[in-house]
Amino acid sequence: MFNDKKVSVLIPCLNEESGLEKVFEEIPDFIDEVIVIDNGSQDNSTQIAKKHNAKLLNENIRGYGIAILKCLKDAIGEIIVIVDGDGSYPVAMVREICRYMEKGNFDFISGRRFPLYNSKAMAFINKVSNYFISWLIRFLFRIKI
């Protein structure tokens, strides 16, 4: 619990065994539940989730959004944190994010990977493309992104 609020961590998962163990190692002890939604993994992702006593859901329809929607229906938390199974988002920062949410009275916070917590989480060309597309949207539409 975080200040009397239950916290759920949701992990959409498709063949994430290489990063999933690290994600579980970083999950703070105040988290009330962890739900892994498997989207048809062919590796040991589900076994890793079971090993860590996560609630395991299966979704046969592929897609990140579909997986998240299925998790949201089952989550008990008043605060819901969605992280990727590859370890590209620093799960250890959940407490800091919860404090920030509470202090600012926010309903939603979206994290970003830049600067990348894990420098190997994204290929160089993807990083460059993300920066360019973000710049282009800011330039064309005069909005902050």
Side-chain angles (χ1 to χ4, degrees), residues 86-89 113 116-123 126-127:
D86 64 3
S88 58
Y89 289 99
R113 298 176 199 213
L116 284 175
Y117 179 71
N118 177 355
S119 62
K120 296 178 183 176
M122 188 181 287
N126 295 83
K127 290 179 200 175

Side-chain angles (χ1 to χ4, degrees), residues 5-9 32-33 35 74-80:
K5 293 181 181 170
K6 289 184 180 179
V7 181
S8 298
V9 171
D32 297 286
E33 77 171 342
I35 301 175
D74 283 55
I76 62 165
E78 296 159 88
I79 298 173
I80 296 175

Side-chain angles (χ1 to χ4, degrees), residues 97-144:
I97 292 168
C98 288
R99 282 190 195 121
Y100 188 77
M101 283 183 76
E102 198 169 69
K103 181 180 175 185
N105 196 26
F106 298 117
D107 293 325
F108 179 82
I109 292 180
S110 178
R112 69 182 188 134
R113 298 176 199 213
F114 299 104
L116 284 175
Y117 179 71
N118 177 355
S119 62
K120 296 178 183 176
M122 188 181 287
F124 176 76
I125 190 69
N126 295 83
K127 290 179 200 175
V128 172
S129 299
N130 278 334
Y131 278 117
F132 174 72
I133 290 169
S134 295
W135 173 84
L136 186 62
I137 290 170
R138 284 192 305 269
F139 177 77
L140 292 175
F141 299 103
R142 305 285 186 230
I143 59 173
K144 286 186 175 183

